[in-house]
Amino acid sequence: MLSKIILQANIDKAAKFFEHADKIIIVSHVSPDGDAIGSSLGLSHFLETQDKDVHVIVPNAFPDFLRWMPGAKDVIRYDKYGEFADKLIAEADVICCLDFNALSRIDAVAKPVAEAKAKKILIDHHLNPEDFCQVVISHPEISSTSELVFRLICRMGCFEDITKEGAECIYTGMMTDTGGFTYNSNNQEIYFIISELLSKGIDKDEIYRKVFNTYSEDRLRLMGYVLYDKMQVFPQFRSALITLTKNEQNKFRYVKGDTEGFVNIPLQIKNICFSAFLREDTEKDMIKISLRSVGAFPCNKVASEFFNGGGHLNASGGEYYGTMDEAIQLFKQALVKYEDLLLKN
Ligand code: 5GP
Ligand code: MN
């Protein structure tokens, strides 16, 4: 049995919204990850069994390693099909906002969503949700939005309506947001849910291979280069830093998603508890920052204080509008400021 984490009043309201809706839109955050796509498709497969007209809209492209997911080819990219998406959003009865806590996280989709007449439901696990939805199912203590989608469907009494395809999507989100159940994954109930998903016939080993073992040769060579040449280790701060310029990305024929997970690798070094990855964005004129920590070190504080970002205690990020050198200097300032916390972690 699962504990009743989601408030009954929220379950009732969401169920009522769904019941009275024909057209439902699901939106998720910019540069969607496995949990964004997994929770969105997991919910959409369920709503399709309830005979709803459902569409998933995301601001921009998602990585190739998620393309196999059932329903992924029907996900609408706002940067490509904005006008069509605008129409769907304006006509929707309900809009579900998944895996993000602030309208700014959905880039250009924010405006049509904010203006839409639809009832809005937030389902998310990031801290401090903004107030733009009538129903707010926000649980930062839960490791993935996909898990929340599973819990919501079950609490509405609809476990039977989770299909194998829906279960595959939910599992993918749970797996990717916990690094294959290697962090944020000590809650026993995660494994109860996995057992329930297995009962739907999913092949979890195959899902792991499809997500984690389908890299290009270029990505592996880029990883080799980055670890050999670009990783700086600051043992006195128990920290590490990797930087990557546009030129370097071009040299290795970078495509979106190629650097996914790089930020986690330095945490494999003994005693390193904080890792940063700074990458010159290939589309926008900024440095994309990814931060990871282990234990109690709050990398989201560094993200919000130094890099205009936020996120979770152990996984956060932000953006820096300036040069790579300036971003590196900021990172070094953060190490000095947080030295005590880093050392006692
Ligand atoms: P990643 O390093 O995988 O891009 O992001 C890890 C986590 O950091 C995300 O799940 C999200 O919570 C947070 N995050 C990443 N980039 C940003 C950003 O620009 N702003 C905010 N507020 N959070 C971010
Ligand atoms: Mn998530």
Side-chain angles (χ1 to χ4, degrees), residues 59-86:
N60 60 353
F62 55 87
D64 274 346
F65 62 79
L66 300 174
R67 261 173 235 290
W68 62 272
M69 291 172 73
K73 67 175 186 346
D74 298 320
V75 171
I76 300 166
R77 274 177 60 179
Y78 194 84
D79 58 347
K80 276 193 162 177
Y81 305 104
E83 262 178 51
F84 177 52
D86 279 342

Side-chain angles (χ1 to χ4, degrees), residues 29 33 35-36 99 124-126 143-146 173 177 312:
H29 61 76
D33 57 8
D35 190 32
D99 202 38
D124 180 45
H125 67 141
H126 296 91
S143 55
S144 64
T145 299
S146 298
D177 255 22
H312 312 275

Side-chain angles (χ1 to χ4, degrees), residues 2 6-8 10-15 18 43 46-47 96 98 121-123 135 137 145-159 162 170 193:
L2 291 176
I6 306 174
L7 282 180
Q8 189 60 45
N10 281 339
I11 304 276
D12 295 342
K13 269 195 259 175
F18 289 146
L43 183 61
F46 162 68
L47 291 170
C96 302
L98 266 57
I121 305 174
L122 181 93
I123 308 173
V135 176
I137 300 175
T145 299
S146 298
E147 178 179 337
L148 286 170
V149 165
F150 180 88
R151 288 174 178 273
L152 173 65
I153 297 171
C154 290
R155 290 282 296 288
M156 292 192 299
C158 299
F159 173 75
I162 298 180
I170 291 172
I193 295 173

Side-chain angles (χ1 to χ4, degrees), residues 58-281:
V58 295
N60 60 353
F62 55 87
D64 274 346
F65 62 79
L66 300 174
R67 261 173 235 290
W68 62 272
M69 291 172 73
K73 67 175 186 346
D74 298 320
V75 171
I76 300 166
R77 274 177 60 179
Y78 194 84
D79 58 347
K80 276 193 162 177
Y81 305 104
E83 262 178 51
F84 177 52
D86 279 342
K87 188 163 177 290
L88 292 172
I89 293 169
E91 287 172 357
D93 302 307
V94 167
I95 298 176
C96 302
C97 299
L98 266 57
D99 202 38
F100 66 94
N101 58 352
L103 280 172
S104 61
R105 295 279 295 143
I106 53 172
D107 274 11
V109 197
K111 189 166 179 277
V113 166
E115 289 170 356
K117 63 174 186 343
K119 300 263 195 299
K120 289 162 205 159
I121 305 174
L122 181 93
I123 308 173
D124 180 45
H125 67 141
H126 296 91
L127 290 168
N128 310 322
E130 273 179 5
D131 182 21
F132 61 96
C133 292
Q134 285 87 349
V135 176
V136 177
I137 300 175
S138 167
H139 291 271
E141 78 280 18
I142 296 296
S143 55
S144 64
T145 299
S146 298
E147 178 179 337
L148 286 170
V149 165
F150 180 88
R151 288 174 178 273
L152 173 65
I153 297 171
C154 290
R155 290 282 296 288
M156 292 192 299
C158 299
F159 173 75
E160 297 308 322
D161 293 332
I162 298 180
T163 59
K164 180 183 174 193
E165 290 73 25
E168 286 175 337
C169 297
I170 291 172
Y171 181 80
T172 302
M174 292 175 64
M175 180 186 81
T176 51
D177 255 22
T178 55
F181 306 102
T182 61
Y183 50 82
N184 290 337
S185 56
N186 283 327
N187 182 343
Q188 280 173 251
E189 294 190 354
I190 290 174
Y191 303 94
F192 174 78
I193 295 173
I194 295 174
S195 160
E196 296 287 77
L197 294 172
L198 287 167
S199 79
K200 301 285 181 181
I202 69 166
D203 183 338
K204 66 182 263 304
D205 303 343
E206 191 188 3
I207 292 176
Y208 183 94
R209 284 196 299 276
K210 281 177 175 169
V211 171
F212 292 123
N213 292 350
T214 54
Y215 293 126
S216 65
E217 179 182 339
D218 281 329
R219 165 179 153 111
L220 250 67
R221 300 219 179 265
L222 176 61
M223 186 191 282
Y225 166 70
V226 150
L227 294 181
Y228 190 73
D229 254 14
K230 300 303 307 271
M231 180 175 69
Q232 297 177 64
V233 181
F234 306 94
Q236 71 278 30
F237 294 108
R238 303 186 59 201
S239 300
L241 168 69
I242 298 173
T243 61
L244 199 59
T245 64
K246 267 190 218 178
N247 271 344
E248 291 167 321
Q249 292 168 64
N250 291 339
K251 196 171 152 204
F252 288 89
R253 292 174 287 275
Y254 170 89
V255 291
K256 214 176 173 79
D258 272 356
T259 55
E260 190 85 27
F262 282 11
V263 64
N264 294 300
I265 304 175
L267 297 175
Q268 294 174 10
I269 302 170
K270 193 172 177 178
N271 288 328
I272 296 300
C273 68
F274 179 42
S275 167
F277 178 57
L278 276 46
R279 184 178 64 80
E280 282 180 2
D281 198 81

